[in-house]
């Protein structure tokens, strides 16, 4: 069994970084989270657009080749493109909803809530090495 004398020297070196991490979590939750969430939505939209382009490019190449060879595109190509665009629009809608809900929750978070969030972050940082 670990006595308090043995446990305290183990917790003393990471105590200062945990307190700094807790203060950073407080500042992040209180003042920076909402603007960051607004910009995160734009970044996620750009990432989704790049993924859609990556998924549609082989279909574009195949359709272009089919039109050169046969004069018309395969009907499945349009179905695939519509499916990819529909999935991208659904993902975009889900991301917008989640980010809006997170933004509203962070906006309602006061000083006490941010302080509790920083305390939970500091305690989590202290306990993280002992969990494994």
């Amino acid at each position: 069994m670990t006595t308090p004398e043995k446990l305290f020297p183990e917790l003393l070196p990471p105590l200062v970084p945990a307190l700094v991490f807790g203060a950073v979590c407080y500042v992040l939750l209180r003042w920076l989270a909402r603007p960051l969430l607004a910009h995160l939505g734009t970044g996620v939209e750009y990432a989704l657009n790049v993924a859609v382009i990556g998924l549609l490019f082989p279909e574009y190449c195949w359709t272009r080749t089919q039109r050169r060879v046969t004069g018309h595109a395969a009907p499945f190509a349009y179905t695939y493109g519509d499916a990819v665009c529909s999935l991208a629009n659904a993902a975009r809608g889900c991301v917008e909803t989640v980010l809006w809900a997170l933004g509203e929750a962070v906006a309602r978070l006061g000083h006490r809530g941010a302080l509790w969030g920083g305390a939970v972050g500091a305690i989590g940082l202290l306990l993280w090495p002992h969990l494994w």
Side-chain angles (χ1 to χ4, degrees):
M1 186 166 151
T2 305
T3 62
E5 295 84 22
K6 291 182 181 178
L7 185 63
F8 188 70
E10 289 179 10
L11 288 178
L12 190 57
L15 189 62
V16 172
L19 290 175
V20 170
F21 182 74
V24 168
C25 284
Y26 170 77
V27 170
L28 179 73
L29 286 173
R30 185 65 185 131
W31 291 290
L32 298 177
R34 188 140 191 205
L36 288 177
L37 286 172
H39 291 296
L40 182 64
T42 305
V44 169
E45 186 174 351
Y46 288 157
L48 276 172
N49 290 340
V50 168
V52 167
I53 290 170
L55 289 172
L56 288 179
F57 187 69
E59 183 262 336
Y60 167 74
C61 292
W62 176 255
T63 303
R64 190 169 176 198
T65 304
Q66 281 291 105
R67 284 189 181 177
R68 284 184 181 172
V69 172
T70 63
H72 56 74
F76 176 71
Y78 296 113
T79 306
Y80 174 75
D82 290 342
V84 169
C85 290
S86 296
L87 285 174
N89 287 333
R92 187 175 292 118
C94 289
V95 167
E96 286 178 2
T97 303
V98 168
L99 288 178
W100 176 82
L102 285 175
E104 289 298 314
V106 168
R108 291 183 180 184
L109 196 64
H111 287 290
R112 284 186 187 170
L115 188 60
W116 275 106
V120 167
I123 291 170
L125 186 66
L126 280 174
L127 295 178
W128 183 259
H130 302 290
L131 294 176
W132 306 108

